[in-house]
Amino acid sequence: MFMNIPVEPFRIKTVERIRQTTREEREAYLKEAGLNVFAVPSESIFVDLLTDSGTSAMSDQQWGGLLTGDEAYAGSRSFYRFEAAIRDITGFPQVIPTHQGRVAENLLFSTICRPGITIPNNTHFDTTHANVAANGADALNLPVPEALHPETEHPFKGNMNLEALEKVLTERKGSIPLVAMTVTNNSAGGQPVSMENIKATSQICRKHGVPFFFDCARYAENCWFIHEREAGYKNKKVIDIAREMFSYADGCWMSAKKDALVNIGGFLAMKDEKLAQTLRNKLILIEGFPTYGGLAGRDLEAIAIGLYEGLDEDYLKYRTEQVRYLGEMLMAGGVPLVKPIGGHAVFIDALAFCPHIPQSEFPGVALTVALYREAGIRAVEIGSMMFAEKDPKTGKVEYPPLDLVRLAIPRRVYTNTHMAYVADAIVAVYKNRDKLRGLRLTYEAPMLRHFTARLEEV
Ligand SMILES: *Cc1c(COP(=O)(O)O)cnc(C)c1O
C-alpha cells in the first residue's frame, strides 16, 4: 500500500551464509568447469537462479512437521494428513505418493503408452516428454500461436490450442488414452492457462470420452494469475479457484518441489480406482509401500503443510510480484525479455541480447558465462545447447526457434535486495554486450549434453 516493492510476508528465523567470490576466483572456477555453470560448485555462487525446483525455503511450521512426522512403514499418520490435503484441494479420492514428479510420470506413462499412442499437452515439460517418448508414444505439444513470440503480450499465453486439440482427438481417435495440461506452462515461459481454456479443454475431452489430467507442479501460481487476470475471479479465494480448476479434470500429477514448497516429493491423484490400483502395484516395485512411495513420513508431513502455504494469498502476491519486480528492473535497463513475465522465472531473449553471436556459437551459454564471471550469478541456458539437433543423415544442425536464458527464482529464499543486485549486474553486462564472445564445444555427451558439455571461447 505504501511502496511499490513486493514486501516479503515473512520474517527470517534461520539464515544460510552465502559468499561473494572475487573475479579472479570466478575465472578459475569457470576454467575448471569448461565454461559450463552446471559444473561450478554451489558454494562459489552468490545468487543461484539455476532452478526453482526443490530449492524452496521451508517454513517454521514445515520444519516442525519434520519432527512430528510418523515414520511407520504402513499407514503412517503423516500419509493420512498428506492424503487429506490432496483430497481437500483436488477432490480426487485416489492419492499415490512418489519421491519426485518424474516417477509419477514414469508410473502413469509406462502404463498407458506404447507405440501408436499420442499424448497431447499444451507443452510437455522435458521429463514428461521423455517419459512419453521412452514408451514409444508421441508427445504432442499444442500451444497457442502467441506462445512462440517472446514480444507478444497475452494474459494466458500458456493456453491449450483448442482447435488443434479437437482436430487430433478426431484424427487419432482410439489412440489417445489421456489429454494432459501443464499449469503453469513451464516450457512456454511459466505462462498461465485461463479457467476458460481449462473448462473448454475439459469439455472437448468429455465430448471425445478421453480423460483429462493436469501436470500441476505450479498450479497455485496459475490459480493466482486467474485470480488477478480473469474476469469473475477477483473475489474468489485462491483455494476455491484451485478446487474449481481440478473439478474439470479426472486426475493430476505433481512435482511437490515447486508449489508445495518442499525440497523433495511428488504425487499422483485421480478418480479412476482401477488405474490407481495398477499404478500402486507398480509403485511397490519401484518406490515403496503405497502409504509412503519413496518418501519419509516427515516429507509427507512437510508436503501436507506446504500445499496450503503455497495457496496463501499473501505469499502468492509476494511471490509473483518478486518475479515481476526483477523483470521490470531488467526491462527498464533495456534487457530483452520474454513477455509477459512468467510465474516462476524471468527469461532473457539471448538472440536479441547478443545479436553478434550466431546460434552455432551458443549466445545463451555465453550469457550465462558472463553473468557468473561478472557477478557470481548462476542462470541456465534453454536454447541451442539444450535443443539443437543434428540430422543423422545430412549432418545439418537444426536450431530451436528461441535461445533463452532463464533466471528461475527459488521460493522464499532471496530478498528483493538480491533481485536488485541481479538486475543491476545484468544491466551492466547488457551495456557491454558487444564484449560477449561466442563459444565452441570441446566435449559433448551423446545425450542431454548441456549438463556435462565443456566449451572454450571462440
Ligand atoms: C519439475 C517438473 C516435473 C518433474 O518433476 P521432478 O520432481 O523434477 O521429477 C514435471 N512437470 C513439470 C511441469 C515440472 O515443472
Side-chain angles (χ1 to χ4, degrees):
M1 198 190 285
F2 305 109
M3 282 186 283
N4 275 329
I5 55 167
V7 183
E8 292 86 355
F10 51 81
R11 52 187 180 186
I12 296 164
K13 198 177 274 190
T14 302
V15 296
E16 179 183 4
R17 186 173 186 270
I18 51 174
R19 191 177 72 93
Q20 183 57 293
T21 43
T22 65
R23 202 172 189 288
E24 289 68 40
E25 286 173 312
R26 292 193 295 275
E27 279 295 0
Y29 281 119
L30 276 173
K31 193 154 176 252
E32 179 81 10
L35 302 184
N36 184 345
V37 293
F38 275 105
V40 174
S42 105
E43 276 203 313
S44 62
I45 288 160
F46 189 51
V47 180
D48 197 350
L49 307 183
L50 187 71
T51 178
D52 66 318
S53 178
T55 52
S56 299
M58 291 206 294
S59 67
D60 52 355
Q61 301 297 310
Q62 288 175 294
W63 282 101
L66 296 191
L67 275 180
T68 56
D70 174 0
E71 302 302 341
Y73 189 94
S76 147
R77 176 181 67 237
S78 299
F79 170 74
Y80 293 119
R81 199 170 170 199
F82 168 90
E83 182 184 57
I86 294 163
R87 283 179 174 167
D88 176 35
I89 295 164
T90 68
F92 300 132
Q94 305 293 329
V95 175
I96 302 171
T98 62
H99 86 273
Q100 302 215 167
R102 70 195 67 185
V103 184
E105 292 171 340
N106 177 304
L107 291 167
L108 181 63
F109 294 121
S110 66
T111 304
I112 64 170
C113 287
R114 57 180 188 279
I117 291 289
T118 297
I119 306 290
N121 200 327
N122 47 351
T123 314
H124 287 276
F125 179 63
D126 56 10
T127 60
T128 324
H129 187 282
N131 271 297
V132 171
N135 289 290
D138 183 12
L140 188 66
N141 291 333
L142 303 174
V144 288
E146 290 87 352
L148 302 173
H149 302 285
E151 280 295 318
T152 312
E153 291 268 359
H154 185 292
F156 293 104
K157 239 177 162 173
N159 280 354
M160 178 80 83
N161 186 331
L162 300 171
E163 296 84 64
L165 178 64
E166 180 80 67
K167 194 158 167 275
V168 245
L169 283 167
T170 308
E171 286 175 2
R172 304 192 191 178
K173 203 169 182 53
S175 65
I176 301 182
L178 160 166
V179 169
M181 178 184 269
T182 309
V183 287
T184 58
N185 193 337
N186 183 355
S187 304
Q191 301 289 335
V193 180
S194 70
M195 193 70 89
E196 193 189 2
N197 189 262
I198 290 168
K199 228 188 282 184
T201 301
S202 168
Q203 278 163 1
I204 293 172
C205 291
R206 295 260 146 92
K207 192 177 101 187
H208 289 267
V210 172
F212 174 38
F213 272 60
F214 286 113
D215 177 357
C216 64
R218 298 181 184 78
Y219 80 101
E221 290 170 6
N222 199 94
C223 291
W224 176 256
F225 284 121
I226 289 173
H227 178 268
E228 288 297 282
R229 296 179 184 173
E230 192 162 351
Y233 290 94
K234 257 268 137 348
N235 297 319
K236 231 177 155 177
K237 279 170 36 193
V238 173
I239 192 167
D240 291 328
I241 296 176
R243 287 176 180 134
E244 180 184 340
M245 183 190 107
F246 287 112
S247 77
Y248 299 122
D250 303 290
C252 66
W253 70 92
M254 179 172 184
S255 165
K257 298 172 74 174
K258 285 66 170 237
D259 278 357
L261 296 165
V262 291
N263 307 116
I264 197 76
F267 63 83
L268 280 148
M270 66 200 70
K271 292 179 184 163
D272 186 339
E273 194 181 340
K274 215 169 130 237
L275 175 62
Q277 198 50 55
T278 307
L279 300 182
R280 276 192 196 102
N281 290 341
K282 273 195 184 174
L283 183 82
I284 294 173
L285 197 66
I286 64 172
E287 286 271 89
F289 191 74
T291 61
Y292 71 85
L295 291 167
R298 55 179 172 270
D299 298 323
L300 297 166
E301 195 75 25
I303 295 169
I305 299 166
L307 280 167
Y308 289 107
E309 291 184 359
L311 286 165
D312 178 82
E313 298 179 10
D314 291 341
Y315 157 73
L316 283 167
K317 179 171 189 296
Y318 140 80
R319 162 73 179 158
T320 51
E321 281 183 357
Q322 183 179 54
V323 177
R324 197 174 68 212
Y325 178 61
L326 172 62
E328 282 175 354
M329 285 186 287
L330 290 170
M331 278 195 269
V335 178
L337 303 181
V338 175
K339 290 170 195 155
I341 308 299
H344 68 288
V346 174
F347 291 75
I348 302 174
D349 180 349
L351 289 175
F353 193 106
C354 27
H356 60 290
I357 304 179
Q359 278 187 293
S360 57
E361 294 179 9
F362 310 113
V365 184
L367 182 51
T368 64
V369 170
L371 297 185
Y372 180 68
R373 178 183 280 145
E374 300 305 327
I377 297 164
R378 178 155 67 177
V380 67
E381 186 247 26
I382 301 186
S384 0
M385 176 61 70
M386 204 178 264
F387 295 127
E389 280 188 78
K390 197 185 266 176
D391 187 306
K393 278 186 231 125
T394 62
K396 196 171 171 293
V397 182
E398 187 86 51
Y399 291 100
L402 300 174
D403 251 85
L404 303 176
V405 168
R406 184 182 76 179
L407 306 164
I409 319 296
R411 293 168 182 77
R412 305 191 294 207
V413 169
Y414 292 113
T415 64
N416 294 320
T417 317
H418 289 114
M419 295 300 112
Y421 168 83
V422 169
D424 246 14
I426 296 178
V427 170
V429 171
Y430 185 63
K431 286 191 178 134
N432 288 304
R433 58 191 177 278
D434 49 327
K435 296 216 179 69
L436 291 183
R437 286 165 61 190
L439 305 172
R440 72 176 146 246
L441 284 160
T442 59
Y443 167 75
E444 68 177 306
M447 270 173 60
L448 296 168
R449 64 177 180 179
H450 54 284
F451 291 120
T452 54
R454 295 184 66 84
L455 303 107
E456 61 187 15
E457 279 174 332
V458 172

